[in-house]
């Protein structure tokens, strides 16, 4: 399928894991993808991978917690294309374990998980409006936003903020032809997975991961490409009447 032929996409947090898979998937369907990541090397590597596969991608170093950095990304897209059709906010981090969180940890989690998503979506809004009814915003939250994480209440709080934000922004965007949706992945086989289960010193990450996965109805974690396929659907015209929704992509975890 070439659902994004001639369209411009930006994946903020596109240098690894789910963001990398999303960048690849959008490019494989014809999009020109801006791979934005805190790591310039990671953004460049993903862009080179996409180019080697015959796709079009541009690496951009972006600190999604810095509004000036985000503005520079969107200014570049405006200068080079004048429009943005697909915007995905992937940036996030695991929260600290427990509830004994100092101010610095708390603020960092707010900046990475909440501030980055808010300003990614709002600073890119006018470019999406220029897509004339073809604009899509997607965000990545977590099943911890829906069922709560006893391991990190702060993580649940920050990721949970994206769910009502999605509904509100969808209402704001509807008259401008901008759809807004959020996904809530469960366990995904990415480099960040170990960080979720390794918060406590001396934790047996492999055993903790195995125990958690045993409680997933489908009996396994997701591959990043399975997350990317849902984002590609939501961003495409196949989902032209879908907005303001929260979609768990979790192997049935939240159905229990």
């Amino acid at each position: 399928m070439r659902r994004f032929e001639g369209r411009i996409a930006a994946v903020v947090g596109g240098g690894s894991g789910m963001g990398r898979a999303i960048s690849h998937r959008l490019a494989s369907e014809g999009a020109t993808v801006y791979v934005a990541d805190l790591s310039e090397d990671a953004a460049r590597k993903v862009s080179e991978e996409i180019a080697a596969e015959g796709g079009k991608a541009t690496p951009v170093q972006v600190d999604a917690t810095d509004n000036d950095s985000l503005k520079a990304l969107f200014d570049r897209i405006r200068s080079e294309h004048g429009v943005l059709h697909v915007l995905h906010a992937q940036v996030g981090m695991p929260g600290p374990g427990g509830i004994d969180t100092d101010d610095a940890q708390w603020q960092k989690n707010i900046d990475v998980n909440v501030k980055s998503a808010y300003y990614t979506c709002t600073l890119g809004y006018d470019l999406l409006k220029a897509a004339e009814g073809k604009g899509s915003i997607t965000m990545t939250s977590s099943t911890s936003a829906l069922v709560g994480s006893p391991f990190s209440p702060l993580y649940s709080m920050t990721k949970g903020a994206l769910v009502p934000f999605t509904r509100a922004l969808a209402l704001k965007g509807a008259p401008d032809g901008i759809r807004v949706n959020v996904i809530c992945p469960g366990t995904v086989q990415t480099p960040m997975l170990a960080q979720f289960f390794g918060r406590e010193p001396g934790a047996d990450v492999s055993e903790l991961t195995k125990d958690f996965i045993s409680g997933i109805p489908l009996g396994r974690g997701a591959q990043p490409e399975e997350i990317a396929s849902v984002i590609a659907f939501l961003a495409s015209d196949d989902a032209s009447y879908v907005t303001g929704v929260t979609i768990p992509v979790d192997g049935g975890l939240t159905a229990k």
Side-chain angles (χ1 to χ4, degrees):
M1 294 185 292
R2 303 283 290 183
R3 294 179 292 187
F4 303 105
E5 197 73 53
R7 298 189 184 185
I8 311 302
V11 180
V12 180
S16 64
M18 288 179 273
R20 172 182 175 272
I22 292 164
S23 297
H24 272 272
R25 179 60 182 264
L26 295 174
S28 74
E29 294 199 35
T32 296
V33 181
Y34 284 78
V35 182
D37 201 90
L38 182 61
S39 169
E40 185 176 4
D41 288 342
R44 183 181 298 111
K45 181 179 179 182
V46 173
S47 297
E48 289 171 351
E49 292 170 353
I50 289 171
E53 295 169 353
K56 293 175 286 186
T58 300
V60 185
Q61 194 281 325
V62 171
D63 179 352
T65 67
D66 183 324
N67 289 358
D68 288 339
S69 186
L70 285 169
K71 288 175 183 176
L73 166 65
F74 295 124
D75 284 346
R76 179 173 179 177
I77 296 172
R78 183 176 292 104
S79 173
E80 294 176 355
H81 300 283
V83 66
L84 182 62
H85 300 87
V86 178
L87 176 58
H88 179 69
Q90 178 63 40
V91 173
M93 65 177 291
I99 58 174
D100 294 326
T101 303
D102 61 34
D103 285 350
Q105 285 180 312
W106 189 90
Q107 190 61 56
K108 183 177 181 180
N109 277 260
I110 292 293
D111 288 347
V112 173
N113 290 346
V114 181
K115 179 185 177 182
S116 72
Y118 181 86
Y119 284 107
T120 292
C121 297
T122 57
L123 293 175
Y125 188 90
D126 285 345
L127 277 171
L128 289 153
K129 189 175 178 179
E132 299 180 341
K134 300 294 185 180
S136 167
I137 294 173
T138 48
M139 291 174 265
T140 296
S141 180
S142 167
T143 52
S144 293
L146 304 177
V147 298
S149 169
F151 305 106
S152 178
L154 180 57
Y155 183 69
S156 285
M157 184 182 98
T158 56
K159 283 299 188 179
L162 302 189
V163 174
F165 175 53
T166 292
R167 293 196 295 267
L169 195 59
L171 296 177
K172 164 68 177 174
D176 294 323
I178 300 172
R179 298 180 299 103
V180 187
N181 297 290
V182 63
I183 63 167
C184 291
T187 301
V188 184
Q189 301 294 336
T190 70
M192 190 178 288
L193 182 60
Q195 297 179 39
F196 284 92
F197 294 101
R199 295 185 179 98
E200 300 299 328
D204 186 338
V205 175
S206 62
E207 194 62 31
L208 289 171
T209 304
K210 180 180 177 181
D211 289 345
F212 188 84
I213 288 176
S214 69
I216 298 173
L218 286 185
R220 63 176 179 85
Q223 295 300 314
E225 292 75 16
E226 293 177 294
I227 306 302
S229 67
V230 179
I231 294 298
F233 163 71
L234 290 171
S236 76
D237 290 347
D238 288 339
S240 58
Y241 205 58
V242 179
T243 192
V245 303
T246 301
I247 299 181
V249 190
D250 63 358
L253 182 67
T254 56
K256 297 195 297 180

